Amino acid sequence: DAWNPWEGHHSVVAAHDLSLLDASFWSADEVPGRDLAEIPHPLVSDTIARFDDLADRVVLTHLNHTNPLCDPDSPESAQVGDRGFRVAGDGDRFEL
């Protein structure tokens, strides 16, 4: 769900070496005519703003087909990468 109702979300991510976070939608523009309250995934733009100081601990996953992060050459992918976030890819493995 969206980040706003969850108090303490920043401290939960900060307490872990790695967090796989939902990145379904970059922006509300991807779902025109839909009430985001019905699909309360946090927007990537909000997620990267909230966790900018923890970017090296965050992997963005669960991308909707409309999300520009699906294109590794998109300006949005460059922005995420420049800020230190990673986007999960097919075959990624994470050692626990």
Side-chain angles (χ1 to χ4, degrees):
D1 286 350
W3 293 117
N4 285 340
W6 182 19
E7 291 184 29
H9 57 271
H10 190 273
S11 61
V12 170
V13 172
H16 294 85
D17 294 333
L18 179 70
S19 292
L20 302 173
L21 300 183
D22 182 85
S24 294
F25 304 109
W26 178 265
S27 74
D29 298 338
E30 293 172 59
V31 286
R34 297 281 309 269
D35 180 3
L36 286 183
E38 295 175 7
I39 45 175
H41 295 282
L43 299 177
V44 174
S45 51
D46 185 28
T47 298
I48 63 175
R50 289 176 185 268
F51 299 106
D52 197 47
D53 62 320
L54 301 172
D56 61 333
R57 298 174 183 216
V58 171
V59 177
L60 301 169
T61 189
H62 189 238
L63 280 67
N64 192 58
H65 70 280
T66 59
N67 191 323
L69 292 180
C70 290
D71 176 2
D73 296 324
S74 71
E76 293 83 358
S77 290
Q79 179 183 352
V80 165
D82 289 348
R83 291 175 75 164
F85 291 90
R86 293 180 287 163
V87 176
D90 289 342
D92 280 356
R93 293 174 155 234
F94 304 99
E95 190 170 329
L96 302 176

